[in-house]
Amino acid sequence: MWGKEVGGLAGRIRDEDIALVRERASITEVISDTVTLKSAGAGNLKGLCPFHDEKSPSFNVSPARNVWYCFGCGAGGDAIKFLMDAEHLSFVEAVERLAARVGLQLRYVEDDRSAPRVNRPQQGQRQRLVAAHAAAVEFYTAQLTTAGARTAREFLAQRGFDRAAAERYGCGFAPEGWDPLTRHLRQRGFSHDELVTAGLSRPARSGSLIDRFRRRLLWPIRDLTGDVIGFGARKLFADDDGPKYLNTPETPIYKKSHVLYGIDQAKREIAKQGRVVVVEGYTDVMACHLAGVPTAVATCGTAFGGDHIGVLRRLLLDTDAVAGEIIFTFDGDAAGQKAALRAFEDDQRFVGRTFIAVSPDNMDPCELRLAKGDLAVRDLVARREPLVDFALRHVLSRYDLDTVDGRVEAMRRAAPLVAKLKDQEKRPEYVRKLAGDLGMEIEPVQRAVLAASSGRPVDTSARPARAEPTVDSPQSMVEREALKLALQEPVLAGPMFDAVEASDYRHPVHVVVRAAIAEAGGAASATGGAVWVEAVRDACADLAAQALVGELAVEPLRIDGEPDPRYVSITMARLQWGSVTARIRELKSRIQRINPVSNKDEYFATFGELLSLEQHARALREQAAGGL
């Protein structure tokens, strides 16, 4: 393979040197920079292929033979071929990268295979762009110690970062002036085109080159191997009319959709712990690492997306057999919530479990570390909650769950989220949780989730917990039995029947008959017989209720033998049980939505009502324990 022409001549790397590179470069170490490898038996290793999307590892590495092969897509080769495919390098660039890695000085020969050249030919484009960035890092970090960078140093200090932290992350400063970096790099031998291609300089209107970054605090952005491929620049001065953060533009080596800040320092711990913490900014990554959360990374000037997921899945070995953890930290404001919901949309791309960690005070990790210390940052991550829980809570918060319409609409919106859960074994539990949050029966929520999972529209007519029961439902049957007792045995049942509120009846026709009994003077005032039944019938407001009175007056009670006070007590307890338990569900749903800090009075009032109802429910359960 041939190098680029220099001075009219072309050169190539000696075959012996290429062979030495292949021999000395550890294919396991090279590939481990990008892919987490696990034992596959017989001395071989396996991982998720970086060249196609897969859920089970088919990418295999043989350290003994120094080769790799993917049974999924058919790609394979040695360490040189891996770098060519993974980093989009030419053959010469890949060999030069590996030679530098193993400390081998390459030799080049003329195209006529004459004597070895004294001068090395021009490096490949990638190596030149990486070298330009390395020189820029040296320049910028030196500038951070100058008098003009005082504001930058103060910015770091105010956020809890000392000189050692700045040096660890290569923080630098772009000085005043139009072209100090450009002049420095030109003196180092980098061409006009190379500086523009690298995104370090840009053409001015005059045709000359000027620096892309001026009067800004800089963070070098590195790839998985540790090479600097770009910069993130933070505005420091009020008269800077640029954006708050300015990043390197897209270049042959910098693709923002693939880049994760801090990945070079975090990759080993991510693979070791099977966990990654995704934060929002450069200072958040620094704060997390320094606070003892070494798996933190951040996107660079773009939203977290599918290409970022691919990078993390390979590091996590995120497969059907190995479930990693992906923890997102977002601000609690509207923008942070929107980002979290966007992350949930990508949740299905991960096999592992996804979580969210939001500070109670809506502080990002950097602010949290500064205000409350390192332990608070570690606690933030430890208190993570499943991302689906956060997404469901966000959806439910948009509706008034104290109303029937609000609960039904919330169910319609939330059901598709539960249906999206990749782990189908978790769906029944989340159906129960959603029903509890809504204060609804499980059945309508379950139907809504099943409809959403099959792509059908969610049925908005599904009944909330307080809607009317069907004629043959347990609640309707016990309401019917209570009305029969009032009509057939008013002397026996009257006092207990009249003491139960009319609101405990839910079937609409039963509600009308219950109102007619009250209109006729109440069951306790009646002596029974045809006169009593006729009085109730006359008090009914519609024909259906009148017909039902005649039916209930002659329908046998659901008891062998004669009814007694105990039977009446059991029936009335069961009648109240349905409405009390429905009310308990509603209160539990409401209390989950109340912030006990900002709405303390409402929280404790609701909690007190809940305790009282639960005590009443226990008494009713004991009263109804006799059974029919």
Side-chain angles (χ1 to χ4, degrees):
M1 301 296 291
W2 299 90
K4 294 185 177 180
E5 292 189 5
V6 176
L9 298 174
R12 67 183 182 88
I13 304 170
R14 278 191 170 186
D15 292 339
E16 309 94 279
D17 289 355
I18 294 173
L20 279 174
V21 168
R22 285 195 170 102
E23 178 183 335
R24 294 184 183 180
S26 167
I27 194 167
T28 303
E29 293 180 3
V30 171
I31 293 177
S32 292
D33 284 337
T34 306
V35 180
T36 295
L37 298 173
K38 300 291 185 181
S39 175
N44 293 330
L45 304 168
K46 65 180 179 180
L48 290 175
C49 180
F51 307 119
H52 79 287
D53 194 22
E54 60 180 3
K55 290 190 175 182
S56 297
S58 57
F59 182 88
N60 287 259
V61 178
S62 173
R65 293 186 291 276
N66 244 12
V67 296
W68 60 274
Y69 180 77
C70 178
F71 290 96
C73 65
D78 57 10
I80 298 173
K81 184 64 165 61
F82 181 83
L83 277 185
M84 290 174 65
D85 292 349
E87 301 290 340
H88 306 289
L89 304 179
S90 68
F91 180 85
V92 171
E93 289 175 324
V95 173
E96 290 174 340
R97 171 83 73 88
L98 290 175
R101 183 177 186 131
V102 299
L104 177 65
Q105 180 65 50
L106 295 175
R107 297 168 295 171
Y108 298 81
V109 297
E110 307 292 350
D111 56 350
D112 62 359
R113 298 180 183 272
S114 58
R117 293 174 56 114
V118 175
N119 295 322
R120 172 178 175 162
Q122 181 179 335
Q123 293 175 304
Q125 183 190 57
R126 187 186 195 321
Q127 275 65 33
R128 291 293 294 171
L129 300 184
V130 168
H133 277 86
V137 169
E138 294 178 5
F139 176 83
Y140 286 139
T141 54
Q143 291 294 318
L144 188 61
T145 63
T146 64
R150 178 180 177 180
T151 304
R153 295 192 298 271
E154 289 176 348
F155 178 94
L156 291 171
Q158 289 167 1
R159 283 154 180 78
F161 303 121
D162 57 16
R163 182 171 182 173
E167 291 177 351
R168 172 177 171 180
Y169 293 92
C171 296
F173 178 69
E176 181 74 71
W178 290 108
D179 63 348
L181 175 70
T182 299
R183 286 187 282 107
H184 175 78
L185 294 181
R186 290 300 300 271
Q187 291 171 3
R188 296 283 293 269
F190 294 98
S191 70
H192 176 288
D193 289 343
E194 286 174 335
L195 296 184
V196 173
T197 302
L200 295 169
S201 305
R202 58 188 178 90
R205 293 178 181 176
S206 64
S208 60
L209 286 185
I210 60 175
D211 295 350
R212 180 168 296 278
F213 306 114
R214 296 175 57 246
R215 304 168 70 213
R216 284 179 174 247
L217 175 63
L218 296 176
W219 286 267
I221 300 170
R222 302 176 186 271
D223 63 12
L224 275 165
T225 67
D227 286 337
V228 178
I229 57 175
F231 289 94
R234 211 282 187 186
K235 180 167 72 172
L236 297 172
F237 302 98
D239 61 350
D240 183 341
D241 58 0
K244 182 177 180 180
Y245 281 95
L246 182 65
N247 286 69
T248 294
E250 293 279 309
T251 72
I253 62 173
Y254 181 83
K255 307 294 182 185
K256 64 183 180 181
S257 64
H258 293 73
V259 175
L260 288 165
Y261 178 73
I263 194 72
D264 57 307
Q265 296 198 36
K267 64 183 180 182
R268 299 297 182 191
E269 285 297 324
I270 290 173
K272 179 181 176 181
Q273 297 185 23
R275 170 189 295 177
V276 63
V277 178
V278 182
V279 298
E280 293 192 284
Y282 307 120
T283 57
D284 293 331
V285 170
M286 294 173 67
C288 284
H289 288 186
L290 296 173
V293 183
T295 60
V297 298
T299 59
C300 302
T302 186
F304 187 83
D307 291 328
H308 298 122
I309 291 173
V311 172
L312 294 179
R313 287 195 66 233
R314 292 190 291 273
L315 289 176
L316 288 165
L317 192 63
D318 182 50
T319 70
D320 291 327
V322 180
E325 285 191 8
I326 304 89
I327 304 170
F328 296 95
T329 65
F330 294 107
D331 293 347
D333 58 15
Q337 292 188 8
K338 184 177 180 181
L341 295 175
R342 196 163 51 234
F344 178 75
E345 292 301 314
D346 286 324
D347 176 61
Q348 311 311 307
R349 297 284 301 276
F350 287 108
V351 176
R353 297 161 292 170
T354 52
F355 298 85
I356 186 170
V358 179
S359 169
D361 302 313
N362 292 338
M363 291 188 288
D364 59 37
C366 182
E367 295 168 336
L368 186 61
R369 175 175 180 260
L370 193 62
K372 300 185 178 180
D374 292 349
L375 181 59
V377 177
R378 296 196 296 271
D379 285 345
L380 171 66
V381 175
R383 293 195 312 268
R384 65 198 179 277
E385 67 169 324
L387 188 54
V388 63
D389 289 16
F390 175 86
L392 285 172
R393 189 169 65 253
H394 177 79
V395 169
L396 298 186
S397 69
R398 293 155 50 191
Y399 301 95
D400 182 0
L401 301 187
D402 291 329
T403 67
V404 171
D405 289 343
R407 290 195 292 271
V408 171
E409 185 62 20
M411 179 190 67
R412 188 174 75 86
R413 299 293 183 182
L417 299 184
V418 178
K420 281 183 180 180
L421 289 175
K422 56 183 173 284
D423 188 346
Q424 296 189 15
E425 293 182 357
K426 292 182 179 178
R427 288 184 188 176
E429 184 60 33
Y430 274 98
V431 166
R432 286 190 287 271
K433 182 181 185 308
L434 179 56
D437 290 344
L438 292 169
M440 297 176 69
E441 303 284 359
I442 290 178
E443 289 76 13
V445 177
Q446 193 171 42
R447 288 196 300 270
V449 171
L450 288 174
S453 63
S454 62
R456 300 194 310 272
V458 177
D459 181 10
T460 57
S461 66
R463 300 182 315 277
R466 293 289 293 174
E468 64 188 60
T470 58
V471 173
D472 58 350
S473 70
Q475 178 65 24
S476 287
M477 297 299 291
V478 76
E479 290 175 11
R480 191 180 183 94
E481 193 72 3
L483 293 173
K484 286 191 291 184
L485 284 169
L487 290 170
Q488 298 178 26
E489 302 287 344
V491 175
L492 173 66
M496 284 187 279
F497 178 90
D498 291 344
V500 175
E501 297 290 336
S503 59
D504 289 321
Y505 292 80
R506 289 159 54 190
H507 193 286
V509 182
H510 296 169
V511 171
V512 174
V513 175
R514 173 65 179 81
I517 292 174
E519 179 70 19
S525 65
T527 57
V531 174
W532 167 238
V533 173
E534 194 62 31
V536 174
R537 195 201 315 268
D538 291 343
C540 287
D542 59 57
L543 294 177
Q546 291 176 3
L548 181 62
V549 169
E551 185 177 334
L552 296 177
V554 297
E555 182 178 294
L557 294 168
R558 298 175 62 201
I559 183 175
D560 294 331
E562 293 298 319
D564 56 14
R566 178 172 173 274
Y567 180 71
V568 176
S569 175
I570 290 172
T571 302
M572 302 318 295
R574 290 185 172 181
L575 173 63
Q576 296 172 81
W577 171 259
S579 61
V580 170
T581 54
R583 178 59 180 162
I584 288 174
R585 283 194 297 270
E586 291 175 358
L587 288 176
K588 286 183 175 179
S589 172
R590 179 186 297 175
I591 207 167
Q592 289 176 4
R593 306 191 304 272
I594 300 173
N595 187 319
V597 177
S598 58
N599 299 291
K600 182 169 62 175
D601 292 342
E602 181 186 0
Y603 180 86
F604 283 110
T606 306
F607 188 71
E609 184 181 355
L610 176 62
L611 289 179
S612 176
L613 272 179
E614 287 183 331
Q615 184 177 5
H616 183 39
R618 285 193 293 271
L620 289 174
R621 185 167 56 246
E622 294 174 0
Q623 184 178 336
L628 291 177

